Amino acid sequence: MDRADAAGRLAELREAIRHHDYAYYVEARPEVADSEYDALRRELSDLEAAFPELITPDSPTQRVAGQPVDTFRPVEHKVAMLSLDNATTPEDLREFEARLNRALPGTGFRYVCEPKIDGLGVALLYQDGRFVRGATRGDGRVGEEITQNLRTIRSLPMTLRGRLATIGEVEVRGEVFMPRAEFEKLNRSLEDAGETTFANPRNAAAGAVRQKDPATTARRPLDIFLYHVSEARELGFTTYAETLEALRAAGFKVNPRTEPCPTLDAVVTYCERLEAERDGLGYDADGAVIKVDSLEQQWRLGSTTHHPRWALAFKFAARQATTVVQSIDVHVGKTGTLTPVAKLEPVELAGVTIRNVSLHNEDEIRRKDIRVGDTVLIERAGDVIPYVVQVIAGKRPPDSKAFEFPRECPSCKHEVIRIPGEAYWRCPNSACPAQLKERLRHFGSRRAMDIEHLGEAVIEQLVERRLVGSFADLYRLTVGDLVELERLADKSAHNLVTAIEGSKTRGLAPLLNALGIRMVGERVAGVLASHFGSMSKVQEASVAELTEIRGIGEEIAESVRKFFDDESNAEVIRRLGVAGVAMSQPGFQADAPRPLAGQTFVLTGTLPSLTRDAARERIERLGGRVTSSVSKKTSYVVVGEAAGSKADDARRLGVTILDEATLLELLQRR
Ligand code: IVH
């Protein structure tokens, strides 16, 4: 191949690769198989190796190229990179519009809203459609040149298309971020390598962007959304929406959640919806940005030295905060598991006050090196329970000492054990008062024996005064015993005795749950009760018989067997029976027809008359199974009021949908 042919082929290859990069990284709609793409890249680099003088800086092979740098060169921004004014409530949003109306009376405003990405703002310079320089925001006036590192972002075009490609020099701005999935992958590999992990995707992205060697940046997958063209009005654009369209047409990634909002009400709705949906975005957004759409209005409104007057950031509730660990206490669970819990200086996080946070186990404390007196970063995302992300190393008191996990039970002082391979230390003393208290609390809880008035303070005294040493003892308590307790009036003592009496008829499923058998919660208890019908049948079942039941695995079966093989447990159950606690499942008949056997149901939304538990109970009584997620194998999805995505899943997968009336009919017919 001569030089001219090579040049032609190189141009073709580069164009094809750019096209596929766009389809894959920007649109997430790949058009060719990975192998086909790899072949194009191989041909390109082979040909460039043969004709090195034909390598161009915007060639796809040059994304990860160039020498490591010692320092980043300063770059003065053409137009200062300003910050944004903040809002936290809908009232703040309305005040924003009131300000606009005062500045430009009688004109009326339309807006565009988009996610506020929790990343790093960057400014990118293109000359004649080619990427020539990229810089961080810095102090807003002068940033640092990070061109080589930005080249590694595969969704960032090195050459532009459309109208923006024809402009001699254009500066665009956007936000570099690390997608959450990539962040988790990165942290996992850092952890495996014994290196320090990043607290959040933003820090990881900041670290990646400031790598001295672009090859390192390339291994930390970043992405970028563009949201700004400097001097757009001078370039002839009239609205922000139109500017975004030009960015998209140039090959940039523009946030798909960007929406025009013709009124402030639409803005408020947008902000609320985005906040509710923030966990599904795939990247961290810390708010929404509201921008006046008309560039003429933007120009007339102008900026303060700090922020443009035509834009506003609506900040979502914070999910991370720092606070101080006041102490680390060790709690004993109902099966003897020891859980360390950090008592924190109370701190407000995403709308709730956090006072305690579980540290899970000894290894977790050691891994994060959490100590009393430390300032810690805590996070509470979505429905996730709060946890310690990391210790703020710089704020550690000089005299702090590593936490030593106790080798004896904090309650009964019995030596604790840790089975090799298990994460938890356990107190092996089955008479341990802390375990007994936890077991009693669980026994009386709503989804177990549902004993009202059996609160923590009462349990505490019942155990300390040795009035109760097992579940069965509860049923021997008299009003006389109870009035002796502190802060328990006559009436309350009566109420408690009545409540305990009333719990005798709960039935087998709640009783099995109440016993606190390891791995037997509400679901498994329900399965066992509807399969066996009586306590004695459950007690007699072998591991083999148990594992034959759908939804019961080896581990659960062994745990059940172990529980009933224990003499003292068998004795407690015998005494519960003598006390008159019901030991069978109401309505159970051993050879009752099980017409729904093999059928699975998913319940979603609120049904008009049946509670979730009642519906489940009736389905299970006829042999059906209730599961939590919809698949093609699901027989029916029962849909009630305010049903969520499960109803959509059912429609998508073609699963039969029932309302309550049809469900009742189905249950009746069988
Ligand atoms: S607009 C003049 N839009 O938030 C325009 N900024 O707190 C000002 N940011 O410095 C920026 N997502 O780095 C804009 N969709 C978005 C954004 C966004 C994140 C960052 C940006 C800015 C900072 C201000």
Side-chain angles (χ1 to χ4, degrees):
M1 192 182 287
D2 68 15
R3 205 162 171 279
D5 288 344
R9 181 62 187 152
L10 282 170
E12 273 173 24
L13 287 167
R14 287 175 189 149
E15 194 40 47
I17 291 168
R18 268 176 216 134
H19 173 82
H20 292 311
D21 278 347
Y22 181 80
Y24 187 91
Y25 293 105
V26 179
E27 297 200 304
R29 263 201 299 257
E31 291 170 8
V32 291
D34 289 357
S35 55
E36 219 169 306
Y37 175 82
D38 292 344
L40 291 172
R41 290 202 66 112
R42 218 170 312 117
E43 187 182 349
L44 176 65
S45 54
D46 289 351
L47 203 51
E48 285 185 345
F51 296 91
E53 71 280 14
L54 296 180
I55 298 176
T56 55
D58 62 359
S59 168
T61 57
Q62 301 304 301
R63 285 210 180 252
V64 189
Q67 296 304 310
V69 294
D70 283 334
T71 51
F72 298 107
R73 263 191 338 108
V75 173
E76 194 164 337
H77 298 300
K78 285 179 70 166
V79 184
M81 288 181 81
L82 297 178
S83 199
L84 287 168
D85 198 10
N86 287 334
T88 51
T89 63
E91 292 69 51
D92 294 345
L93 294 170
R94 295 194 193 282
E95 178 49 35
F96 171 64
E97 180 161 77
R99 274 200 304 277
L100 296 176
N101 279 323
R102 283 196 296 274
L104 302 179
T107 50
F109 298 91
R110 299 170 63 85
Y111 308 92
V112 173
C113 292
E114 63 198 58
K116 183 172 186 306
I117 315 295
D118 198 4
L120 298 121
V122 292
L124 313 167
L125 196 66
Y126 285 78
Q127 283 170 346
D128 298 319
R130 288 175 198 281
F131 177 58
V132 294
R133 196 184 72 194
T136 62
R137 175 170 182 274
D139 64 4
R141 200 180 56 82
V142 181
E144 291 178 315
E145 187 189 329
I146 50 163
T147 312
Q148 291 194 355
N149 289 344
L150 291 175
R151 279 180 185 285
T152 67
I153 303 177
R154 307 295 282 267
S155 61
L156 187 68
M158 293 294 104
T159 55
L160 302 183
R161 298 181 308 214
R163 165 120 162 63
L164 293 182
T166 65
I167 300 171
E169 182 166 289
V170 63
E171 190 205 61
V172 296
R173 294 179 182 174
E175 202 79 358
V176 173
F177 63 96
M178 188 175 286
R180 223 176 272 149
E182 298 293 348
F183 162 73
E184 275 152 25
K185 227 194 285 169
L186 172 65
N187 262 358
R188 270 199 301 275
S189 66
L190 288 172
E191 200 173 325
D192 289 346
E195 290 179 44
T196 336
T197 53
F198 289 101
N200 51 48
R202 187 180 188 284
N203 290 5
V209 152
R210 300 194 83 264
Q211 286 297 320
K212 299 281 156 79
D213 184 355
T216 311
T217 309
R219 284 195 302 271
R220 304 199 166 164
L222 297 171
D223 207 341
I224 183 169
F225 280 125
L226 277 290
Y227 49 67
H228 188 77
V229 176
S230 299
E231 300 172 326
R233 187 160 169 271
E234 291 78 353
L235 295 173
F237 296 109
T238 60
T239 63
Y240 177 56
E242 196 188 312
T243 317
L244 288 176
E245 210 31 67
L247 281 169
R248 203 174 278 133
F252 290 113
K253 197 160 165 169
V254 171
N255 199 311
R257 300 289 304 244
T258 306
E259 275 179 36
C261 292
T263 64
L264 200 84
D265 283 337
V267 168
V268 173
T269 309
Y270 177 91
C271 290
E272 287 170 352
R273 205 180 50 222
L274 193 68
E275 179 154 19
E277 291 168 4
R278 67 193 285 198
D279 286 325
L281 293 175
Y283 50 82
D284 279 1
D286 55 345
V289 183
I290 299 103
K291 295 172 186 170
V292 168
D293 191 28
S294 154
L295 297 187
E296 149 100 26
Q297 287 178 334
Q298 286 192 6
W299 174 74
R300 288 171 61 195
L301 287 161
S303 308
T304 71
T305 52
H306 172 262
H307 61 261
R309 291 195 190 88
W310 43 264
L312 186 70
F314 175 81
K315 299 277 250 175
F316 297 156
R319 296 174 141 183
Q320 289 195 332
T322 56
T323 184
V324 176
V325 177
Q326 295 176 324
S327 63
I328 299 177
D329 305 331
V330 175
H331 286 198
V332 186
K334 65 181 192 289
T335 53
T337 308
L338 303 191
T339 309
V341 176
K343 190 155 171 279
L344 305 172
E345 208 164 88
V347 61
E348 179 78 10
L349 198 55
V352 295
T353 305
I354 314 289
R355 294 190 165 78
N356 299 300
V357 48
S358 171
L359 303 180
H360 306 293
N361 56 51
E362 184 185 25
D363 294 349
E364 178 83 356
I365 297 183
R366 198 171 289 158
R367 199 165 61 76
K368 295 185 175 162
D369 190 17
I370 301 165
R371 306 178 180 191
V372 175
D374 270 346
T375 299
V376 288
L377 179 69
I378 60 169
E379 176 169 297
R380 174 173 176 266
D383 297 336
V384 183
I385 40 181
Y387 69 100
V388 172
V389 180
Q390 64 176 30
V391 170
I392 312 293
K395 294 205 171 173
R396 170 164 287 169
D399 58 345
S400 89
K401 282 199 267 323
F403 179 71
E404 271 188 51
F405 206 87
R407 291 294 180 262
E408 59 177 37
C409 172
S411 172
C412 69
K413 308 297 173 209
H414 195 290
E415 192 182 337
V416 295
I417 53 165
R418 182 171 170 185
I419 298 165
E422 280 194 3
Y424 295 94
W425 285 94
R426 279 151 52 83
C427 167
N429 174 16
S430 59
C432 170
Q435 288 181 49
L436 180 58
K437 285 174 206 167
E438 280 304 306
R439 283 204 299 270
L440 287 169
R441 207 175 50 71
H442 174 73
F443 188 84
S445 65
R446 206 168 57 74
R447 301 188 151 268
M449 298 303 265
D450 194 10
I451 305 175
E452 236 193 307
H453 313 291
L454 186 62
E456 224 155 293
V458 173
I459 291 175
E460 180 76 32
Q461 298 186 60
L462 290 176
V463 173
E464 292 304 327
R465 295 179 187 221
R466 298 177 193 264
L467 283 168
V468 173
S470 83
F471 303 140
D473 294 338
L474 286 173
Y475 294 91
R476 291 196 331 205
L477 289 173
T478 62
V479 173
D481 294 332
L482 293 173
V483 287
E484 293 292 309
L485 305 185
E486 269 167 52
R487 287 185 316 196
L488 210 67
D490 229 21
K491 176 129 190 287
S492 310
H494 265 107
N495 286 344
L496 180 52
V497 169
T498 314
I500 293 174
E501 185 62 29
S503 76
K504 289 181 177 173
T505 52
R506 296 284 178 254
L508 184 59
L511 178 60
L512 283 168
N513 178 21
L515 292 175
I517 305 168
R518 253 187 88 225
M519 311 192 67
V520 179
E522 205 184 354
R523 184 191 69 84
V524 175
V527 171
L528 292 173
S530 56
H531 185 89
F532 292 105
S534 74
M535 183 64 85
S536 56
K537 287 268 170 20
V538 182
Q539 273 177 297
E540 285 159 14
S542 66
V543 168
E545 278 170 283
L546 287 162
T547 45
E548 259 173 42
I549 306 167
R550 227 171 133 156
I552 309 272
E554 194 81 23
E555 258 192 297
I556 299 177
E558 273 164 17
S559 171
V560 171
R561 203 48 267 151
K562 186 161 168 246
F563 180 88
F564 290 112
D565 283 341
D566 184 313
E567 289 288 334
S568 58
N569 291 334
E571 173 61 13
V572 169
I573 290 163
R574 194 191 59 78
R575 285 178 52 211
L576 285 172
V578 172
V581 175
M583 295 281 162
S584 58
Q585 185 73 347
F588 182 88
Q589 294 163 288
D591 43 9
R594 298 166 61 78
L596 296 183
Q599 312 230 27
T600 54
F601 292 72
V602 171
L603 306 171
T604 176
T606 312
L607 300 177
S609 67
L610 287 175
T611 63
R612 202 47 89 91
D613 290 341
R616 168 196 289 270
E617 210 264 313
R618 295 192 53 176
I619 291 167
E620 286 178 347
R621 200 188 298 166
L622 295 179
R625 220 159 61 93
V626 177
T627 62
S628 58
S629 63
V630 185
S631 79
K632 271 198 303 222
K633 291 188 189 145
T634 307
S635 320
Y636 302 100
V637 173
V638 185
V639 173
E641 185 81 26
S645 60
K646 289 178 190 173
D648 300 336
D649 291 343
R651 266 173 232 119
R652 193 164 43 79
L653 296 170
V655 176
T656 309
I657 293 184
L658 307 177
D659 59 9
E660 184 189 83
T662 339
L663 171 70
L664 288 172
E665 223 174 274
L666 184 86
L667 295 171
Q668 225 92 73
R669 258 191 283 137
R670 311 284 167 141

